[in-house]
């Protein structure tokens, strides 16, 4: 089982990457949002799920362990295959998925390409109680790591990035940042901008 990959991006497509690890190139299906944040030559670490079928071995990669967990749960739902699950994660963030399930709201899933009304309802029913919902008001103990990323995300939206791209980039940086950087708006914003790159901002806002 290939549970993670850490290597260099050799090729970037709209929904896949080729990651070279020890001289071997692995083709990995990823969300479109993740693909847009990666450039050839980047050092990339992915949490992965290997799907084994009679006619193919398919590798799916995610920026965070939470996304991988939700992907695994989605493909356990009747009628949801790996490509459909990846489509859900390309359209909705993990918190949005968890909130929709908690609210028994299948509308967000019906808007995902390839997910029909029956399957959307099954996602809500079969994942009920399995996904943790991030509370709208974080407790004091979490505020240092909750309010700062939120402020940074809002700042990035103001600079021209979409809410989803900004939120995912901040989450990725915060996961590997020091406690001091996660507690500082300026530090977390600087690190996230370094990840996104000036060209990305220009392409979105210009």
């Amino acid at each position: 089982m290939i549970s993670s990959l850490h290597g260099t991006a050799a090729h970037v497509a709209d929904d896949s990457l080729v990651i070279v690890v020890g001289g071997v190139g692995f083709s990995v299906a990823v969300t479109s949002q993740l693909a847009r944040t990666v450039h050839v030559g980047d050092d990339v670490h992915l949490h992965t799920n290997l799907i084994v079928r009679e006619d193919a071995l398919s590798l799916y990669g995610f920026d965070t362990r939470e996304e991988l967990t939700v992907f695994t749960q989605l493909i356990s739902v009747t009628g949801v295959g790996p490509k459909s699950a990846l489509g859900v994660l390309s359209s909705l963030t993990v918190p949005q998925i968890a909130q929709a399930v908690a609210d028994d709201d299948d509308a967000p899933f019906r808007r995902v390409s390839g997910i029909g009304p029956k399957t959307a309802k099954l996602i809500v029913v079969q994942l009920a109680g399995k996904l943790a919902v991030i509370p709208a008001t974080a407790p004091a103990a979490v505020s240092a790591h909750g309010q700062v990323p939120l402020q940074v995300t809002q700042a990035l939206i103001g600079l021209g990035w979409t809410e989803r791209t900004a939120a995912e980039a901040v989450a990725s940086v915060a996961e590997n940042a020091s406690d001091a950087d996660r507690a500082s708006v300026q530090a977390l914003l600087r690190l996230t901008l370094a990840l996104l790159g000036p060209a990305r901002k220009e392409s979105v806002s210009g």
Side-chain angles (χ1 to χ4, degrees):
M1 183 67 175
I2 302 174
S3 59
S4 66
L5 286 179
H6 188 183
T8 303
H11 177 73
V12 179
D14 291 339
D15 56 1
S16 66
L17 307 173
V18 174
I19 308 299
V20 176
V21 182
V24 178
F26 292 85
S27 179
V28 189
V30 298
T31 64
S32 55
Q33 285 75 15
L34 176 57
R36 286 198 293 267
T37 67
V38 177
H39 303 83
V40 172
D42 284 354
D43 185 62
V44 180
H45 182 272
L46 298 176
H47 302 280
T48 58
N49 186 301
L50 178 65
I51 304 295
V52 180
R53 293 186 172 171
E54 292 183 2
D55 57 347
L57 298 176
S58 301
L59 198 58
Y60 295 82
F62 304 91
D63 193 35
T64 68
R65 189 168 296 281
E66 289 76 17
E67 287 181 319
L68 173 61
T69 298
V70 171
F71 173 81
T72 302
Q73 292 171 324
L74 282 168
I75 61 176
S76 72
V77 175
T78 305
V80 179
K83 290 184 178 180
S84 295
L86 198 65
V88 172
L89 284 162
S90 290
S91 302
L92 302 167
T93 64
V94 169
Q96 287 172 335
I97 293 170
Q99 191 64 60
V101 171
D103 293 342
D104 193 25
D105 179 13
D106 63 1
F109 303 110
R110 285 189 274 111
R111 290 193 287 269
V112 177
S113 177
I115 300 291
K118 291 183 179 179
T119 302
K121 188 62 178 177
L122 282 173
I123 291 175
V124 171
V125 171
Q126 295 186 16
L127 294 189
K130 297 181 180 179
L131 302 177
V133 178
I134 299 174
T137 303
V142 183
S143 61
H145 298 312
Q147 294 303 315
V148 170
L150 178 60
Q151 292 178 47
V152 173
T153 299
Q154 292 172 338
L156 290 170
I157 293 172
L159 289 172
W161 278 279
T162 64
E163 180 179 359
R164 181 181 175 87
T165 298
E168 290 185 346
V170 172
S172 175
V173 170
E175 183 180 14
N176 299 301
S178 67
D179 288 342
D181 285 340
R182 283 197 296 269
S184 168
V185 172
Q186 292 80 4
L188 195 59
L189 178 59
R190 172 177 51 79
L191 291 171
T192 307
L193 285 170
L195 172 66
L196 290 168
R200 183 65 53 189
K201 179 179 66 176
E202 293 167 3
S203 65
V204 174
S205 61

